[in-house]
Amino acid sequence: SDSAGRRYRLPIFFSEAVTQVYFKRPSKRKDKILATRQKGAFETEIAAINSLFSIVDVYRNIISILGKEFVSPVADGAFMNYDYYIQKTVRTYADTTYYIELYPLNPNDRAFKGLLVIDQRDWALKAVDLRMNSAPGINFVQDIRIRQEFSRLNGQWVLTVSDIEVDIVDMFGKGKGAKGRSAVYMYNYQLNQPRPDRFFRNETIEIDEGAQIKDNQYWVDHQRTPLNSSEQMVFKVMATLRQATIWRIYNTGLDFVAGG
């Protein structure tokens, strides 16, 4: 940001993947990566960036994000931490939907403020839009936003969108901060077709041959939402930046210090 408080964003890292996920109760899971690509300022950011994000389960009493624990607004006994207000009620011939605003009772609690959208037929979540409490005392984190959407499939409610955004405050002075976002879209669910246990015994993450050489048309066909301007810009910015001699010297020196 400049002296007038205007903020400017420079995209430095972008990653996306198309993955088949297999899950079997209670905890068996296997990921098969069909396509992946990333572009960034350094060659090794992907592990650091991905470690910041995971798909959170708002149905758990405690939501863990960035290594910190927040009280879920639908936790057992959550009335001890939240106030709830019905914003509106939408009735159709088939169902009723409640839009409920929530606010933490204590601004210092590790809790959220935002909106719950609840299906009256099953008392299930249809959507959530949550932001971090005003002053929970988390170093360097200015804001956390969690947006999720759910759909009813064959009598079961499944997660279809999980979008997490983290705003890092100015750590280095001169108005420099960072923003990270992880958006996951889940589709083509197949329920009650269990794989045998031996299917989960090998690698929990597999990468298809050719996953890293998909053309641009593949990504256009498989993206659930089009890339916004800043996401598209990261490819152009990084292509230009990598050609700069001073950047190659800096990047090589950093790799040497970090990895020997």
Side-chain angles (χ1 to χ4, degrees):
S1 61
D2 60 17
S3 57
R6 292 172 297 191
R7 302 186 71 183
Y8 300 89
R9 293 184 182 178
L10 173 66
I12 62 169
F13 178 79
F14 175 84
S15 172
E16 61 183 337
V18 178
T19 308
Q20 285 181 340
V21 179
Y22 302 88
F23 177 80
K24 184 177 182 180
R25 291 178 177 174
S27 58
K28 297 183 185 300
R29 173 173 170 155
K30 189 171 189 175
D31 291 10
K32 187 176 182 180
I33 299 175
L34 306 181
T36 179
R37 67 172 176 173
Q38 56 267 335
K39 183 69 72 174
F42 305 102
E43 302 292 346
T44 55
E45 319 88 329
I46 187 167
I49 297 293
N50 287 348
S51 67
L52 296 178
F53 300 104
S54 61
I55 298 176
V56 300
D57 185 354
V58 295
Y59 278 105
R60 291 184 177 273
N61 289 338
I62 299 297
I63 296 174
S64 180
I65 183 169
L66 295 178
K68 307 298 182 182
E69 295 184 342
F70 292 78
V71 178
S72 170
V74 295
D76 298 333
F79 286 99
M80 301 290 291
N81 300 90
Y82 292 97
D83 266 339
Y84 302 85
Y85 301 91
I86 296 179
Q87 182 190 83
K88 65 178 179 179
T89 302
V90 178
R91 291 184 172 88
T92 66
Y93 70 94
D95 201 2
T96 300
T97 301
Y98 296 103
Y99 292 75
I100 298 178
E101 290 187 48
L102 59 102
Y103 301 92
L105 293 175
N106 188 330
N108 298 315
D109 284 348
R110 286 185 181 170
F112 298 99
K113 53 190 174 184
L115 182 70
L116 304 177
V117 183
I118 297 178
D119 173 81
Q120 187 267 340
R121 177 175 49 181
D122 295 326
W123 298 113
L125 291 172
K126 297 178 75 172
V128 301
D129 190 345
L130 306 174
R131 303 196 81 132
M132 187 178 74
N133 197 1
S134 302
I138 300 179
N139 292 337
F140 306 124
V141 177
Q142 181 171 305
D143 193 17
I144 297 173
R145 186 173 186 182
I146 301 173
R147 287 169 286 193
Q148 292 187 339
E149 297 176 10
F150 301 81
S151 296
R152 201 170 192 269
L153 176 64
N154 299 332
Q156 303 289 330
W157 285 90
V158 295
L159 182 64
T160 55
V161 178
S162 180
D163 193 336
I164 301 175
E165 195 169 316
V166 178
D167 203 348
I168 307 297
V169 298
D170 177 3
M171 293 183 291
F172 309 105
K174 301 180 181 179
K176 296 180 180 64
K179 184 183 290 288
R181 181 181 174 211
S182 172
V184 182
Y185 301 88
M186 286 148 280
Y187 53 97
N188 290 348
Y189 274 93
Q190 298 180 27
L191 303 180
N192 301 319
Q193 299 180 31
R195 302 291 175 118
D197 287 346
R198 64 178 179 273
F199 176 79
F200 299 92
R201 289 175 185 167
N202 298 324
E203 296 291 334
T204 56
I205 298 179
E206 293 182 357
I207 301 178
D208 262 11
E209 184 178 353
Q212 297 178 328
I213 56 174
K214 303 295 184 183
D215 59 22
N216 288 334
Q217 188 59 46
Y218 176 92
W219 292 106
V220 172
D221 294 340
H222 287 80
Q223 284 161 346
R224 305 303 289 181
T225 60
L227 301 184
N228 62 37
S229 58
S230 66
E231 291 168 339
Q232 295 174 16
M233 191 189 306
V234 71
F235 291 98
K236 298 178 182 178
V237 170
M238 289 302 109
T240 303
L241 190 59
R242 287 181 187 277
Q243 295 174 5
T245 301
I246 186 62
W247 183 261
R248 291 201 298 268
I249 294 172
Y250 177 78
N251 195 24
T252 302
L254 187 63
D255 282 344
F256 176 77
V257 172

